């Protein structure tokens, strides 16, 4: 590699920006700890306003190799490939991205690839922005259509239990699964 | 360069390197040459052979992984070139069969590479350094060895004739997707990254 090529690595990250106070980093920490406790060592993400604190912690965590993808359907394919390579993988993305990913999710179902999808902006509870209308309209219907098991978080306290059980489902049934994260879980009022 | 000749050349060098192909006639041709062993996963959905190989390559840094795509498939997934450049999986080799068409539907169904898009230049522009365009079998013969052994990531753009009739040796369809995918994943588990 030539001297001027810039390859992404944890040691090359930019100076951290100040953490926004409206995010619940304690909850994000519990989420990432649960992923790690349950064997997730590889993650893919594309930035999102709700999942931002989880994404920050993933990028900073030396125990989880994290890739920022160029679009989330690509990211799901990357996560599926990493799963085939023996890594338990998760992808963190805005709910809209499930709408971009119908085909690759269908492929993951048919080829029986366990992959954990963490997506924001479900249509349940507290989603207030009008401009997320299409996002809300697409997330759950696509998962329903493909019969991908998912759980909508309602209480931060349930995170360790839900992650443990959903990974059990994912590995046992060899299927993609999803955790949908409404804004109030990670963003304070 | 004729596509089936390039495919044969690739198959000769490939050995048992795990390979995922996009859809299209090249899949049938590779199938005709290599059969339905468990080291090739044929007919991945159009834009996903390369990203899947990228994840696999990152998870298996000791094992060479090959994605084989048509120009049409890669055009659908150009963003992944930025991700490959960013994370630089050295064991990933992407081979693009650029016949300047969606030839599965006829040679006259031209793609954007027929009107000047240079996929090698795109890959270089994304920051991938080991990018080689080959237009003859001799050139392909020279580059295939290093591209399947030496640290990359590599992108080989093979300019091949737009030939829309399938290889006459092709006798049967590729196997069931679920069965084939499970075979491929079992093969990967057994090979354990080596
Ligand atoms: C998302 C999607 N759109 C369209 C198709 C139909 N399709 C199958 S093969 C193919 C052509 C692929 O072109 P290229 O990668 O250049 O391969 P070639 O046909 O030249 O072998 C298309 C468009 C598809 N399989 N998936």
């Amino acid at each position: 590699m030539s001297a001027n090529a810039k390859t992404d690595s944890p040691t090359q990250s930019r100076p951290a920006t100040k953490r926004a106070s409206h995010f619940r980093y304690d909850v994000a920490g519990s989420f990432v700890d649960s992923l790690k406790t349950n064997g997730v060592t590889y993650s893919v993400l594309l930035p999102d306003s709700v999942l931002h604190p989880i994404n920050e912690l993933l990028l900073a965590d030396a125990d989880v190799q994290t890739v920022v993808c160029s679009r989330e359907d690509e990211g799901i394919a990357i996560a599926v490939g990493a799963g085939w390579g023996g890594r338990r993988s998760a992808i963190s993305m805005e709910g809209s991205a499930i709408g971009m990913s119908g085909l690759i999710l269908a492929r993951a179902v048919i080829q029986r690839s366990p992959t954990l999808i963490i997506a924001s902006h479900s249509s349940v509870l507290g989603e207030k922005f009008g401009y997320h209308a299409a996002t809300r309209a697409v997330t759950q219907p696509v998962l329903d259509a493909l019969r991908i098991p998912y759980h909508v978080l309602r209480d931060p306290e349930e995170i360790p239990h839900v992650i443990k059980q959903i990974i059990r489902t994912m590995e046992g049934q060899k299927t993609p699964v999803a955790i949908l994260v409404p804004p109030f879980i990670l963003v304070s009022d | 360069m004729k596509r089936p000749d390039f495919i044969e050349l690739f198959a000769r060098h490939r050995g048992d390197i795990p390979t995922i192909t996009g859809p299209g006639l090249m899949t049938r041709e590779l199938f005709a040459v290599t059969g339905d062993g468990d080291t090739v996963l044929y007919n991945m959905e159009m834009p996903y052979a390369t990203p899947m190989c990228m994840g696999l390559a990152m998870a298996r840094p000791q094992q060479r992984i090959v994605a084989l795509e048509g120009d049409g498939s890669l055009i659908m997934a150009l963003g992944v070139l930025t991700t490959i450049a960013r994370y630089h999986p050295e064991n990933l080799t992407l081979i693009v069969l650029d016949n300047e068409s969606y030839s599965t539907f006829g040679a006259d169904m031209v793609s954007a590479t027929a009107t000047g898009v240079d996929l090698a230049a795109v890959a270089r522009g994304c920051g991938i350094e080991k990018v080689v365009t080959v237009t003859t079998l001799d050139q392909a013969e020279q580059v295939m060895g290093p591209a399947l052994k030496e640290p990359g990531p590599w992108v080989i753009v093979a300019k091949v004739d737009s030939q829309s009739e399938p290889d006459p040796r092709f006798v049967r369809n590729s196997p069931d997707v679920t069965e084939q995918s499970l075979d491929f994943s079992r093969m990967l588990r057994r090979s354990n990254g080596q």
Side-chain angles (χ1 to χ4, degrees):
Chain A
M1 197 171 55
S2 75
N4 64 356
K6 294 198 272 313
T7 300
D8 221 310
S9 75
T11 51
Q12 270 181 338
S13 53
R14 305 233 166 97
T17 47
K18 204 165 156 281
R19 285 184 170 183
S21 59
H22 62 285
F23 286 123
R24 301 184 62 184
Y25 281 93
D26 55 332
V27 176
S30 149
F31 201 106
V32 172
D33 284 348
S34 296
L35 293 176
K36 287 165 57 176
T37 306
N38 289 284
V40 173
T41 61
Y42 188 94
S43 76
V44 186
L45 63 86
L46 201 136
D48 164 58
S49 59
V50 169
L51 298 173
H52 182 75
I54 290 178
N55 295 342
E56 271 191 306
L57 296 182
L58 284 172
L59 283 167
D61 197 315
D63 297 333
V64 184
Q65 187 176 19
T66 296
V67 166
V68 180
C69 56
S70 77
R71 37 183 291 160
E72 296 90 341
D73 57 337
E74 167 201 306
I76 292 172
I78 291 172
V80 163
W84 266 341
R87 307 283 291 274
R88 189 165 287 166
S89 58
I91 174 157
S92 162
M93 61 199 203
E94 193 180 270
S96 50
I98 289 181
M100 292 178 73
S101 303
L103 182 64
I104 185 62
L105 286 171
R107 173 77 198 203
V109 169
I110 283 163
Q111 71 180 32
R112 309 203 60 208
S113 285
T115 313
L116 174 60
I117 294 149
I118 304 157
S120 65
H121 300 309
S122 77
S123 55
V124 179
L125 295 183
E127 173 49 80
K128 63 185 175 187
F129 296 116
Y131 53 78
H132 284 146
T135 297
R136 286 196 295 274
V138 80
T139 309
Q140 283 168 262
V142 169
L143 296 173
D144 288 334
L146 293 172
R147 297 195 176 85
I148 292 177
Y150 63 87
H151 179 83
V152 183
L153 280 179
R154 281 157 205 269
D155 181 351
E157 295 290 318
E158 68 174 337
I159 287 171
H161 170 71
V162 165
I163 290 181
K164 181 176 176 187
Q165 296 304 325
I166 207 150
I167 286 184
R168 200 172 264 184
T169 304
M170 159 179 127
E171 294 293 350
Q173 300 180 23
K174 295 212 179 316
T175 178
V177 294
I179 300 181
L180 303 184
V181 185
F184 67 88
I185 296 284
L186 287 165
V187 185
S188 315
D189 280 334
Chain B
M1 179 165 49
K2 287 197 170 11
R3 187 179 54 212
D5 294 339
F6 178 85
I7 295 271
E8 268 192 317
L9 184 152
F10 163 65
R12 184 156 41 75
H13 283 264
R14 186 185 74 91
D16 280 338
I17 295 174
T19 301
I20 303 181
T21 83
L25 291 178
M26 48 129 173
T27 282
R28 300 196 199 178
E29 285 159 359
L30 186 61
F31 187 83
V33 180
T34 61
D36 71 352
D38 54 11
T39 58
V40 186
L41 182 59
Y42 300 98
N43 267 318
M44 181 49 60
E45 272 62 28
M46 254 182 105
Y48 301 124
T50 299
M52 230 173 253
C53 285
M54 154 132 190
L56 186 47
M58 286 184 78
R60 293 277 176 103
Q62 307 305 325
Q63 189 172 26
R64 178 70 48 170
I65 305 293
V66 173
L68 185 67
E69 301 244 35
D71 48 303
S73 287
L74 186 63
I75 286 169
M76 211 183 257
L78 288 179
V80 76
L81 295 172
T82 68
T83 315
I84 292 171
R86 184 168 178 177
Y87 295 97
H88 208 261
E90 294 192 340
N91 52 332
L92 176 66
T93 303
L94 162 58
I95 300 174
V96 191
L97 285 158
D98 182 2
N99 54 19
E100 304 189 351
S101 63
Y102 301 90
S103 70
T104 301
F105 307 102
D108 55 347
M109 196 61 90
V110 295
S111 77
T113 61
T115 60
V117 171
D118 178 347
L119 291 172
V122 174
R124 274 190 214 100
C126 290
I128 302 173
E129 293 170 358
K130 297 204 173 157
V131 182
V132 183
T133 300
V134 295
T135 56
T136 66
L137 283 175
D138 281 350
Q139 290 170 351
E141 188 69 51
Q142 293 215 338
V143 79
M144 198 57 80
L148 296 181
K149 284 192 197 76
E150 291 175 14
W154 287 86
V155 175
I156 308 297
V157 178
K159 298 294 280 189
V160 293
D161 300 342
S162 185
Q163 172 190 341
S164 51
E165 64 285 358
D167 188 289
R169 289 168 300 177
F170 181 73
V171 287
R172 53 170 281 212
N173 210 337
S174 54
D176 176 82
V177 172
T178 305
E179 179 190 349
Q180 213 204 14
S181 304
L182 291 173
D183 284 352
F184 188 72
S185 82
R186 195 175 302 120
M187 174 280 296
L188 287 165
R189 267 203 312 283
R190 285 205 193 109
S191 73
N192 198 24
Q194 303 303 319

